[in-house]
DNA sequence: ATCGGCTCGCGCAA
DNA sequence: TGCGCGAAGCCGAT
């Protein structure tokens, strides 16, 4: 069946079968983009459903068997559910959430929901788990299954290879940005969802979240973030606050962590509670209206972020030094046996027990809030390289700490940021101990350029 | 306070 | 084939 819907390189058919006759809905399986609005994937599902005169069912799940499942990640996702329930009801979209509380619970929800569906739409996302599921599950469903890139502004599919650095992808993005920097059209469902939610739907209200966490077989030793509550309403509130308070001083203070001038939206982008597209549009429009320059912020949000997605899609697995450019691999290898002084263990680093008060403060921010201020995260990573027995161990520790504590852990953006510390998307500099030609960063430099004392005080106070 | 050198390789101009 | 230049720098010379 030909589809007259705009796809513009965002949509890929994952299998080759016809819609099931008698299917009762089109299923959107939200693996990544846990939101109703500004979601190209759900918009595609709605177009498809309208053509078939069917309603849409939105499904998101949460499992205990997910690596590093803990109270921090679970609470953030659970906090987002009530917003989606409300919004789905307003638009006439079916909504089902399923929390697997035991590691032994069945993993068959998407199969059960697909059994009554005419077609399935899900996220095209360059993370290992999503890629693996999108290869494994669609062939077993027997109905058309589409993967839609709802994460990037310029679709990842626009590019044909791994880009070398920001300067190679930047002109390619700007050449087509205008046509992609447009709002996702509002959802209009011709057929509303009228059935009750399936019996396995997990009801989530704020007062039930503590019980849902306690009854889940997850790691309870990582507490919810002190700073970040999950959910779309909270994401939009933070975006609003960024526009009114920080956009105008972003260019001046984005590299002054103690000023807290950044958007701090990465947890919400990571869990899909907000889209980079709507953030970009809001920032662009607010800047135009108030005569502000937003170029620095948009460079990060669009060019740097989408370079990271390009790396995740086309590059080798980001958990190995093999993902680095040849010059970086060679120079780190050459210095792999350089003496480290001091040398810290993973445990010492995790507990923020180094001699360096700035580094300890950044690590405490990660432990407590689940996010490190962007500029200091680079310093955090550089020091781990300096203090670890080998670059491979440093990489494992950095990824491990993010996997366990960071609300933007496992995001393409985060992997790219971590690997940047090892030379990815960067260039060589003067040869030195341990780092070779990889860019070095020093406490002295941080003290010269930022208010280290103010930041350390902030972290100690809390 | 400011400046140049460090060092590689991509992409484009020629 | 040559040339310019690049995510957040460092360091020593002036």
């Amino acid at each position: 069946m030909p589809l007259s819907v705009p796809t513009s390189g965002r949509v890929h058919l994952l299998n080759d079968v016809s819609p099931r006759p008698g299917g009762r809905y089109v299923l959107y399986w939200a693996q990544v983009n846990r939101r109703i609005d500004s979601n190209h994937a759900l918009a595609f599902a709605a177009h498809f459903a309208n053509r078939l005169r069917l309603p849409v069912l939105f499904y998101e799940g949460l499992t205990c068997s997910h690596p590093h499942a803990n109270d921090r990640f679970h609470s953030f996702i659970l906090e987002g559910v009530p917003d989606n329930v409300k919004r789905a009801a307003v638009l006439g979209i079916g909504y089902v959430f399923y929390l697997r509380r035991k590691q032994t619970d069945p993993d068959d929800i998407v199969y059960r929901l697909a059994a009554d569906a005419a077609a399935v739409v899900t996220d095209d996302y360059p993370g290992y788990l999503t890629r693996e599921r999108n290869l494994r599950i669609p062939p077993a469903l027997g109905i058309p299954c589409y993967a839609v890139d709802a994460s990037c502004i310029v679709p990842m599919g626009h590019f044909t290879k791994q880009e070398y650095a920001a300067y190679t992808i930047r002109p390619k993005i700007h050449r087509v940005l205008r046509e992609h920097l447009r709002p996702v059209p509002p959802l209009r469902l011709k057929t509303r969802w009228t059935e009750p939610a399936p019996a396995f739907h997990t009801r989530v209200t704020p007062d039930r979240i503590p019980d849902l966490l306690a009854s889940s077989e997850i790691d309870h030793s990582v507490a919810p973030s002190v700073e970040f509550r999950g959910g779309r309403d909270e994401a939009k509130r933070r975006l609003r606050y960024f526009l009114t308070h920080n956009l105008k001083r972003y260019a001046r203070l984005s590299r002054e962590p103690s000023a807290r001038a950044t958007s701090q939206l990465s947890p919400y982008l990571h869990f899909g509670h907000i889209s980079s597209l709507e953030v970009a549009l809001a920032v662009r429009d607010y800047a135009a209206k108030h005569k502000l320059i937003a170029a620095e912020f948009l460079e990060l949000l669009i060019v740097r972020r989408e370079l990271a997605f390009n790396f995740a899609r086309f590059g080798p697995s980001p958990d190995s030094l093999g993902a680095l450019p040849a010059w970086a691999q060679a120079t780190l290898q050459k210095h792999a046996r350089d003496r480290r002084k001091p040398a810290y263990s993973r445990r010492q680093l995790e507990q923020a027990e180094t001699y360096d008060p700035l580094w300890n403060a950044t690590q405490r921010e990660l432990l407590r809030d689940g996010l490190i201020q962007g500029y200091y995260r680079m310093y955090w990573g550089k020091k781990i390289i300096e203090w670890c027995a080998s670059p491979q161990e440093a990489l494992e520790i950095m990824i491990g700490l993010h996997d366990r504590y960071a609300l933007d852990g496992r995001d393409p953006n985060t992997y790219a940021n971590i690997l940047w510390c090892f030379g990815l998307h960067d260039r060589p500099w003067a040869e030195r101990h341990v780092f070779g030609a990889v860019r070095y960063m020093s406490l002295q430099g941080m003290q010269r350029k930022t208010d280290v004392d103010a930041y350390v005080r902030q972290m100690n106070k809390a």
Side-chain angles (χ1 to χ4, degrees):
Chain A
M1 183 190 67
L3 270 178
S4 60
V5 295
T7 56
S8 64
R10 281 189 195 283
V11 182
H12 302 277
L13 184 60
L14 295 173
N15 53 8
D16 192 13
V17 287
S18 306
R20 174 183 293 135
R24 285 160 42 218
Y25 45 79
V26 171
L27 177 67
Y28 173 53
W29 175 25
Q31 296 186 70
V32 173
N33 290 291
R34 297 172 180 267
R35 64 178 178 275
I36 308 283
D37 294 294
S38 194
N39 184 334
H40 284 111
L42 184 59
F44 177 77
H47 278 288
F48 205 141
N50 284 341
R51 277 192 64 89
L52 298 171
R53 307 263 167 216
L54 291 174
V56 167
L57 178 60
F58 182 115
Y59 161 61
E60 62 174 314
L62 181 55
T63 77
C64 293
S65 53
H66 198 275
H68 306 283
N70 62 39
D71 284 12
R72 175 165 300 179
F73 303 129
H74 268 227
S75 64
F76 197 90
I77 289 169
L78 290 167
E79 284 155 1
V81 171
D83 297 343
N84 288 343
V85 170
K86 257 184 289 171
R87 191 63 184 144
V90 167
L91 294 172
I93 294 171
Y95 176 87
V96 56
F97 176 77
Y98 179 64
L99 170 64
R100 289 169 63 195
R101 272 175 255 205
K102 309 280 179 229
Q103 303 218 351
T104 52
D105 282 353
D107 189 16
D108 62 350
I109 299 300
V110 75
Y111 295 97
R112 284 163 71 176
L113 291 172
D116 289 323
V120 177
V121 178
T122 190
D123 297 300
D124 180 11
Y125 187 78
Y128 172 76
L129 287 174
T130 307
R131 268 206 279 219
E132 187 276 323
R133 283 190 295 244
N134 284 355
L135 280 176
R136 174 168 50 89
I137 294 177
L141 297 180
I143 51 175
C145 206
Y146 293 88
V148 181
D149 175 0
S151 299
C152 289
I153 294 174
V154 175
M156 289 177 280
H158 174 76
F159 305 96
T160 52
K161 60 164 188 162
Q162 183 182 353
E163 295 291 336
Y164 189 75
Y167 73 90
T168 66
I169 201 174
R170 187 177 296 115
K172 295 178 186 173
I173 287 177
H174 283 294
R175 219 171 290 142
V176 297
L177 187 55
R178 187 195 273 274
E179 67 196 72
H180 293 293
L181 205 51
R182 293 180 183 162
V184 179
L187 293 168
R188 281 193 230 296
L189 282 303
K190 291 194 179 138
T191 308
R192 292 177 73 89
W193 178 270
T194 52
E195 300 175 40
F200 52 78
H201 172 71
T202 311
R203 209 166 53 82
V204 181
T205 52
D207 56 302
R208 294 193 71 202
I209 290 177
D211 283 345
L212 291 172
L213 291 177
S215 61
S216 293
E217 277 183 6
I218 54 176
D219 177 1
H220 297 300
S221 71
V222 181
S225 166
V226 171
E227 173 68 22
F228 297 103
R229 301 275 63 79
R232 182 163 178 81
D233 287 357
E234 182 64 14
K236 281 159 83 170
R237 189 188 68 73
R238 283 179 180 270
L239 172 57
R240 195 75 221 151
Y241 185 88
F242 175 70
L243 293 176
T244 53
H245 291 78
N246 286 327
L247 182 57
K248 63 175 170 299
R249 55 187 207 132
Y250 183 84
R252 188 164 45 94
L253 292 175
S254 67
R255 283 184 237 166
E256 176 48 74
S258 69
R260 308 272 148 182
T262 58
S263 72
Q264 308 232 81
L265 286 172
S266 69
Y268 305 92
L269 289 167
H270 176 65
F271 288 104
H273 289 159
I274 200 166
S275 74
S276 67
L277 175 59
E278 63 191 317
V279 173
L281 289 167
V283 164
R284 185 195 67 178
D285 294 347
Y286 189 93
K289 194 169 160 196
H290 295 84
K291 308 233 181 307
L292 305 174
I293 306 291
E296 288 86 354
F297 179 78
L298 293 174
E299 161 78 10
L300 251 76
L301 181 72
I302 302 174
V303 174
R304 301 299 318 187
R305 180 169 182 274
E306 302 204 350
L307 174 63
F309 275 77
N310 171 273
F311 168 67
R313 159 159 294 205
F314 293 104
S317 171
D319 55 9
S320 138
L321 295 173
L324 297 173
W327 69 266
Q329 289 187 53
T331 196
L332 288 171
Q333 183 61 42
K334 192 173 149 198
H335 290 268
R337 282 154 180 252
D338 289 3
R339 185 180 154 81
R340 270 66 173 169
K341 203 174 167 219
Y344 293 116
S345 67
R346 186 195 152 116
R347 208 201 69 86
Q348 286 172 301
L349 294 168
E350 184 160 11
Q351 306 295 320
E353 288 169 2
T354 75
Y355 73 89
D356 177 343
L358 171 58
W359 193 90
N360 292 342
T362 62
Q363 173 63 17
R364 279 201 304 277
E365 186 173 27
L366 177 62
L367 294 174
R368 197 193 66 175
D369 298 337
L371 194 68
I372 305 176
Q373 291 291 313
Y375 191 34
Y376 280 166
R377 174 154 75 174
M378 301 301 131
Y379 178 76
W380 175 89
K382 292 289 187 185
K383 289 294 133 179
I384 293 180
I385 296 173
E386 186 173 339
W387 297 330
C388 278
S390 72
Q392 183 60 43
E393 188 186 317
L395 180 61
E396 282 161 19
I397 288 175
M398 286 159 72
I399 291 176
L401 290 175
H402 272 83
D403 281 355
R404 186 162 153 80
Y405 296 107
L407 284 169
D408 62 359
R410 278 169 296 216
D411 195 273
N413 223 356
T414 301
Y415 283 121
N417 273 266
I418 288 173
L419 284 158
W420 178 85
C421 298
F422 296 81
L424 178 73
H425 298 157
D426 202 6
R427 62 172 162 137
W429 299 87
E431 182 92 2
R432 71 145 53 218
H433 197 61
V434 177
F435 285 82
V438 171
R439 183 196 303 254
Y440 178 70
M441 289 174 81
S442 70
L443 178 58
Q444 235 181 27
M446 292 296 102
Q447 283 167 333
R448 192 173 65 247
K449 286 179 279 194
T450 70
D451 194 340
V452 168
D453 289 345
Y455 174 81
V456 172
R457 274 198 306 276
Q458 288 173 8
M459 286 301 115
N460 286 343
K461 199 157 45 168

